[in-house]
Amino acid sequence: MKKLYLVCTAFMLSLFAAGCSEEQVNHVELMYDHLEEAVQIEKAVEDKQGPLTEAENYELELYEQLRDISDLAELEEIAQTAIESAEERRSIMEEEKAIIETAYDEFQLSIEYLDEIEDEEVKAQGQAMIEVMENRFETYQELFSQYLLTIDLDIELYSMYYHEDTTIEDLQDQHDLVNEAYQVINDLNQQFNDHTNEFNESKRSFYEMAELNVVFE
């Protein structure tokens, strides 16, 4: 069974240095405050990646055991352990989603200042940056929903192993469903990371165009 390892590309952190042009500085700085606070909030997602990967690896080991054992009682015990791990992954993903949404809410606070920027080119770049973030957040919502669907499919697969009436064909069909679902997640994860990279570049361009003096890490 294929397993997914979510790899979320990190936001680029921008540190305000000193001095910038007098035009639009106030509004851009206000946007900067919310944009970079959103980055700081989302950094907490990194703490979820390790436990998530560990749970996925653990389940893969348990799944290999399920395929090698024939005793129903032993199968049920291993399957239940795998199910508990899958539910733990669900909890981790829900915690991650809460972080992503909190960061997105903070990001939204920056938008109200965009209309106050007089330079049309800077304003257009800011709008482009916002659109990228909107696409990124929408992709994350799809990724989250799809990941929870794969958890349900995994649990169903684990449960099938200790049911006497389960056939080899049933297991293979479910196995294929799981792999197809994880492929969708891999694709969405790549899209999410692409949006993150695009946002980082768009934000950099916005700051530079507004002549905001920042240092990028």
Side-chain angles (χ1 to χ4, degrees), residues 143-197:
L143 176 61
F144 174 80
S145 296
Q146 181 67 21
Y147 193 86
L148 262 56
L149 172 62
T150 63
I151 288 176
D152 292 335
L153 292 173
D154 278 336
I155 289 174
E156 184 174 353
L157 178 61
Y158 302 150
S159 299
M160 290 172 69
Y161 270 90
Y162 61 85
H163 292 153
E164 293 183 356
D165 58 348
T166 299
T167 66
I168 294 178
E169 290 75 16
D170 293 335
L171 289 172
Q172 186 59 53
D173 288 344
Q174 186 67 17
H175 174 95
D176 291 343
L177 285 176
V178 168
N179 283 347
E180 290 171 6
Y182 274 112
Q183 184 57 55
V184 173
I185 290 185
N186 281 325
D187 293 342
L188 287 170
N189 192 61
Q190 183 60 55
Q191 291 178 35
F192 178 78
N193 288 337
D194 288 345
H195 286 318
T196 302
N197 288 328

Side-chain angles (χ1 to χ4, degrees), residues 38-213:
V39 173
Q40 293 290 351
I41 291 171
E42 193 167 311
K43 286 179 67 176
V45 168
E46 298 174 8
D47 296 333
K48 307 299 177 185
Q49 296 304 302
L52 192 63
T53 300
E54 289 176 7
E56 288 179 341
N57 285 331
Y58 183 45
E59 283 172 54
L60 186 57
E61 294 175 4
L62 293 172
Y63 179 70
E64 293 300 326
Q65 294 179 34
L66 289 173
R67 300 179 68 180
D68 294 334
I69 295 172
S70 58
D71 181 74
L72 286 179
E74 191 172 357
L75 283 170
E76 182 172 3
E77 181 179 354
I78 295 172
Q80 289 298 332
T81 301
I83 290 170
E84 290 174 5
S85 178
E87 292 295 355
E88 180 182 348
R89 283 193 290 129
R90 191 194 305 276
S91 296
I92 293 172
M93 285 299 294
E94 289 171 347
E95 292 170 359
E96 178 186 277
K97 182 172 182 284
I99 294 169
I100 295 286
E101 289 181 340
T102 300
Y104 179 73
D105 288 343
E106 181 66 31
F107 170 84
Q108 292 285 89
L109 296 177
S110 71
I111 296 176
E112 64 181 279
Y113 302 106
L114 186 63
D115 288 338
E116 304 301 323
I117 296 176
E118 296 181 1
D119 188 307
E120 292 301 322
E121 290 187 5
V122 174
K123 184 184 295 186
Q125 180 58 39
Q127 185 59 49
M129 175 187 66
I130 290 168
E131 290 174 3
V132 173
M133 175 56 82
E134 297 287 355
N135 291 334
R136 179 181 184 269
F137 185 70
E138 181 178 339
T139 299
Y140 179 80
Q141 298 286 12
E142 294 178 29
L143 176 61
F144 174 80
S145 296
Q146 181 67 21
Y147 193 86
L148 262 56
L149 172 62
T150 63
I151 288 176
D152 292 335
L153 292 173
D154 278 336
I155 289 174
E156 184 174 353
L157 178 61
Y158 302 150
S159 299
M160 290 172 69
Y161 270 90
Y162 61 85
H163 292 153
E164 293 183 356
D165 58 348
T166 299
T167 66
I168 294 178
E169 290 75 16
D170 293 335
L171 289 172
Q172 186 59 53
D173 288 344
Q174 186 67 17
H175 174 95
D176 291 343
L177 285 176
V178 168
N179 283 347
E180 290 171 6
Y182 274 112
Q183 184 57 55
V184 173
I185 290 185
N186 281 325
D187 293 342
L188 287 170
N189 192 61
Q190 183 60 55
Q191 291 178 35
F192 178 78
N193 288 337
D194 288 345
H195 286 318
T196 302
N197 288 328
E198 186 181 358
F199 175 79
N200 284 336
E201 290 305 312
S202 184
K203 186 179 70 168
R204 178 194 289 268
S205 296
F206 175 65
Y207 288 163
E208 290 176 346
M209 193 173 292
E211 299 182 13
L212 190 66
N213 193 10

